[in-house]
Amino acid sequence: MVGKAEPVNGSVKPGSSQSIPAAMQGPLKKPDLIPNLSLKTLKLKTKQQELLIRVSILCLVYVLAFITRLFSVLRYESMIHEFDPYFNYRTTLFLTEKGFYEFWNWFDSESWYPLGRIIGGTLYPGLMVTAAIIYWLLRFLRFAIHIREVCVLTAPFFASNTTLVAYFFGKEVWDSGAGLVAAALIAICPGYISRSVAGSYDNEGVAIFALLLTFYLFVKAVNTGSLAWALASAFGYFYMVSAWGGYVFIINLIPLYVLVLLITGRYSVRLYVAYNSMYVLGMLLAMQIRFVGFQHVQSGEHMAAMGVFFLLQVFFFLDWVKHLLSDTKLFQAFLRITVTTAIGVGAIALGVGTASGYISPWTGRFYSLLDPTYAKDHIPIIASVSEHQPTAWSSFMFDFHILLFLFPAGLYFCFKRLTDATIFIVMYGLTSMYFAGVMVRLILVATPAVCLISAIAVSATIKNLTLVARAKNKVTQTGSARGSSSSKGSSKASLDQSQPFQRNGAIALLFGAFYLLSKYATHCTWVTSEAYSSPSIVLAARGAHGNRVIFDDYREAYFWLRKNTPPDAKVMSWWDYGYQITAMGNRTVIVDNNTWNNTHIATVGRAMSSYENEAYEIMRSLDVDYVLVVFGGVTGYSSDDINKFLWMVRIGGGVFPVIKEPDYLVNGEYRVDKGAAPKMLNCLMYKLSYYRFGELTTEYGKPPGYDRARGVEIGNKDIKLEYLEEAFTTSNWIVRIYKVKPPNNRW
Amino acid sequence: MARSTSKDAQALFHSFRSAYAATPTNLKIIDLYVGFAVFTALIQIAYIAIVGSFPFNSFLSGLLSCIGTAVLAVCLRIQVNRENKEFKDLPPERAFADFVLCNLVLHLVIMNFLG
């Protein structure tokens, strides 16, 4: 027995010295190797350390995503930015004051006078309901907070949540390391920050969270084949439909993904369970939103999903029959018959539906994504929005920085390890990058995909590099143990010669990667601070002594409107300012940013581009009491109405042929100085912008009437208004309000 | 040609029938349920072909509830079928619980959509 014990002792010792380095490699490989009981305590500690590191990284990323979006709150104040968020704010205010039933059935007579707008049925309620729920929750916990604060901080809060979802998604597609990198990248990526800063209370702030959540839950459902996950992804889809019109991307990408899986021979029953339950439940839930209505069965944009649904039924049926029948020849015959009938019936149904007009064709907004020249020729309103222009390379670099070249690297890694999940992320990345190239605004949709794929590249590269960097330790340790055979020893010895070079190279590359990532962080913070944190409604500039000068003219004008006009006054302005006027000025407007009625907007455009007497007729017919124009000549503000004027002419001329664009141009050139077209010098917009401007000296050394935004001296300085009178001009002349005079007495 | 296809069809039908008879009873019950749901859907389609689809949301909710229950029952059948390798370690009680939950959500939404 003593003799037996010794070899036992003898074999344990070299074994334990061998397994110590193996335990140190534990974090690099999956920790499921060592059966030795005495070292389990060591392994558990490593796992706990790993968990601690992961949780603390996620917490830091969560906080980082929130605070990096707070620049404008710190520099200006906690207010809502831009134009669209004011409408969302107004509806949220209405929801919290009047309750959900009133909100859902709200008909608003304060905009689009005299038509009104069915707000309850023409908005995406997700954002407002989310903010209202957070507000009620905080109120329940006795935080006396105003709804505006909740609205301002909703987008950063959901950006933080998006980082968490990105972590889980990365973990699902690749591993937890990639998930952590994805969370960190998406927390500060400028493409996402641009639409989710504090104050940008817009649908995209919540929609990107819903988008990523839906995709994550669906990929999880496909991987596990569980009905519960498919139900969760249907709810995620419902949240996305309630939040943003871009849900059309989901309902087309997921069927495309299923189709690609079918074509590449990856059909499985898990896919069947996931897609079918998500489609039926998701479609039903989506139809509860009034704005979406029956589009899922009637619109051409949603037919792909239905087609794939039927295709999957056919696949499953054929699979089942093949499984039941033992004779393959019979099955081939059966297969032929079924497939031809199925395709025939599908094609006939689609043809009949499209020809009879029951299935509506792709609407202009989405058709212009497939054919980018469509909007310019046919729908000038869509073409005029600056966010809908095609993307320049500089925008890609600005918004993505190093992710731009990490994206192809990540695609390479994904193709090396093809699973259902990586196929999905590759498809998401490629389709969203295509659409991001067509329209600047859609860089936002591409951002999560780019971050995830780049995270795969970063994580895989750093993992390989650290493996190589730590490999020398492993070689020396196993060299010292006696368990290795002589041939292995000699090969390891020869490897040992080149090890220092590989190791040094790996360490150098690691430093390079660290440098790149820190440059990325610096760039993102700089971009957020300089480019994406301005409220647009408050302007700032540097004074002569370097001090900061704030132009708060917009809010000054709206406040004046609120306090100095009768409550039922109607204000005519260009549609950009409609939401702000109703939200802050609390007055009825003629047209606003919803742009649902092109003819109404064209009427306003026609009024702005006509001579004063013709415009007065139009204004009387619309019951207009006040006219509001934005003018940047004194401050050099370049987004004013005179610069937008040609779009007014084009949109007005699109409906009323009496307005012709060449009338306002001289040799194809747009001018406001002495050489400008006579119609330009006498139209209503020109008169209202430059009234009394001819007496003002704006810049030292320049004649009076020098327009600082256009850089010229204006042509018509002696302007007399016959049918309007000046009501208010803000302190920097940015907003000018005129009152429409009532008709003269007859005698 | 026609004779060979009809003979093919008959042989197909026979082998199909004999193979189907071998499936377990619980799966046959689920198949019956699916058949019933599809039959109800066909009745509804026949109805709108005759009468018209005026409250379209009611028609859609009725039709989609039939299709939804059929689809969910097929998913249950897939998960409970012991021949499927993918779902080998999924207990059938869990599959049934998921099925009940999804049906609950489906019918709640249908009741809201009926109008």
Side-chain angles (χ1 to χ4, degrees), chain A residues 698-717:
Chain A
T698 51
E699 216 173 286
Y700 179 70
K702 294 278 192 311
Y706 180 75
D707 183 345
R708 287 176 75 188
R710 259 68 52 181
V712 292
E713 186 186 343
I714 61 171
N716 185 2
K717 291 191 192 174

Side-chain angles (χ1 to χ4, degrees), chain A residues 374-508:
Chain A
Y374 179 73
K376 200 157 174 20
D377 299 329
H378 299 266
I379 317 174
I381 279 197
I382 296 180
S384 73
V385 181
S386 66
E387 301 173 313
H388 291 179
Q389 305 309 317
T391 323
W393 269 112
S394 53
S395 296
F396 275 116
M397 193 60 193
F398 198 64
D399 279 341
F400 286 140
H401 203 239
I402 60 167
L403 302 187
L404 209 53
F405 64 80
L406 286 177
F407 180 69
L411 282 180
Y412 163 73
F413 279 106
C414 287
F415 274 109
K416 257 178 73 171
R417 183 161 86 167
L418 273 183
T419 62
D420 290 347
T422 46
I423 291 183
F424 180 80
I425 200 74
V426 163
M427 286 195 60
Y428 176 25
L430 292 175
T431 48
S432 59
M433 278 306 261
Y434 166 71
F435 288 123
V438 175
M439 213 186 247
V440 172
R441 185 181 183 186
L442 295 179
I443 283 188
L444 175 72
V445 177
T447 303
V450 170
C451 287
L452 275 165
I453 295 181
S454 312
I456 291 176
V458 170
S459 174
T461 311
I462 289 190
K463 212 172 215 186
N464 289 339
L465 287 176
T466 48
L467 265 177
V468 173
R470 296 176 81 144
K472 192 179 178 227
N473 300 334
K474 168 181 129 182
V475 169
T476 53
Q477 288 280 11
T478 48
S480 69
R482 258 158 278 143
S484 49
S485 65
S486 58
S487 62
K488 262 206 268 176
S490 61
S491 69
K492 281 208 168 63
S494 63
L495 219 62
D496 212 4
Q497 299 298 322
S498 56
Q499 271 311 320
F501 296 110
Q502 278 192 2
R503 186 160 171 263
N504 289 338
I507 291 183

Side-chain angles (χ1 to χ4, degrees), chain A residues 183-495:
Chain A
L185 289 178
I186 205 173
I188 51 174
C189 188
Y192 185 25
I193 289 189
S194 63
R195 304 290 298 206
S196 67
V197 281
S200 171
Y201 181 55
D202 211 351
N203 296 33
E204 288 92 344
V206 174
I208 295 299
F209 167 73
L211 181 90
L212 210 55
L213 186 69
T214 310
F215 283 152
Y216 163 62
L217 293 171
F218 183 69
V219 169
K220 190 90 184 173
V222 171
N223 274 345
T224 57
S226 150
L227 259 180
W229 284 110
L231 176 68
S233 80
F235 273 116
Y237 177 62
F238 171 56
Y239 189 39
M240 178 70 188
V241 171
S242 74
W244 196 33
Y247 74 89
V248 176
F249 181 63
I250 298 187
I251 202 64
N252 280 310
L253 180 63
I254 289 186
L256 195 64
Y257 166 64
V258 171
L259 205 60
V260 165
L261 282 186
L262 292 179
I263 291 176
T264 55
R266 284 174 176 268
Y267 169 76
S268 64
V269 285
R270 291 176 287 116
L271 180 67
Y272 180 86
V273 171
Y275 179 69
N276 280 319
S277 23
M278 189 249 183
Y279 177 61
V280 174
L281 287 170
M283 175 164 77
L284 262 174
L285 282 168
M287 291 203 278
Q288 308 311 303
I289 308 288
R290 283 170 62 192
F291 194 27
V292 171
F294 301 128
Q295 278 183 357
H296 276 73
V297 292
Q298 285 180 336
S299 155
E301 294 148 10
H302 303 75
M303 284 300 118
M306 194 183 280
V308 168
F309 176 69
F310 284 122
L311 189 65
L312 261 184
Q313 309 305 320
V314 171
F315 254 80
F316 177 71
F317 183 58
L318 289 174
D319 208 39
W320 181 52
V321 168
K322 184 167 160 186
H323 176 73
L324 273 184
L325 294 179
S326 40
D327 187 348
T328 48
K329 254 202 304 212
L330 272 178
F331 175 67
Q332 296 289 357
F334 179 68
L335 177 69
R336 253 186 297 118
I337 301 171
T338 322
V339 167
T340 42
T341 37
I343 293 180
V345 166
I348 290 176
L350 190 68
V352 165
T354 320
S356 67
Y358 186 72
I359 298 179
S360 60
W362 283 58
T363 56
R365 257 179 68 193
F366 296 112
Y367 190 72
S368 62
L369 288 177
L370 298 177
D371 176 15
T373 58
Y374 179 73
K376 200 157 174 20
D377 299 329
H378 299 266
I379 317 174
I381 279 197
I382 296 180
S384 73
V385 181
S386 66
E387 301 173 313
H388 291 179
Q389 305 309 317
T391 323
W393 269 112
S394 53
S395 296
F396 275 116
M397 193 60 193
F398 198 64
D399 279 341
F400 286 140
H401 203 239
I402 60 167
L403 302 187
L404 209 53
F405 64 80
L406 286 177
F407 180 69
L411 282 180
Y412 163 73
F413 279 106
C414 287
F415 274 109
K416 257 178 73 171
R417 183 161 86 167
L418 273 183
T419 62
D420 290 347
T422 46
I423 291 183
F424 180 80
I425 200 74
V426 163
M427 286 195 60
Y428 176 25
L430 292 175
T431 48
S432 59
M433 278 306 261
Y434 166 71
F435 288 123
V438 175
M439 213 186 247
V440 172
R441 185 181 183 186
L442 295 179
I443 283 188
L444 175 72
V445 177
T447 303
V450 170
C451 287
L452 275 165
I453 295 181
S454 312
I456 291 176
V458 170
S459 174
T461 311
I462 289 190
K463 212 172 215 186
N464 289 339
L465 287 176
T466 48
L467 265 177
V468 173
R470 296 176 81 144
K472 192 179 178 227
N473 300 334
K474 168 181 129 182
V475 169
T476 53
Q477 288 280 11
T478 48
S480 69
R482 258 158 278 143
S484 49
S485 65
S486 58
S487 62
K488 262 206 268 176
S490 61
S491 69
K492 281 208 168 63
S494 63
L495 219 62

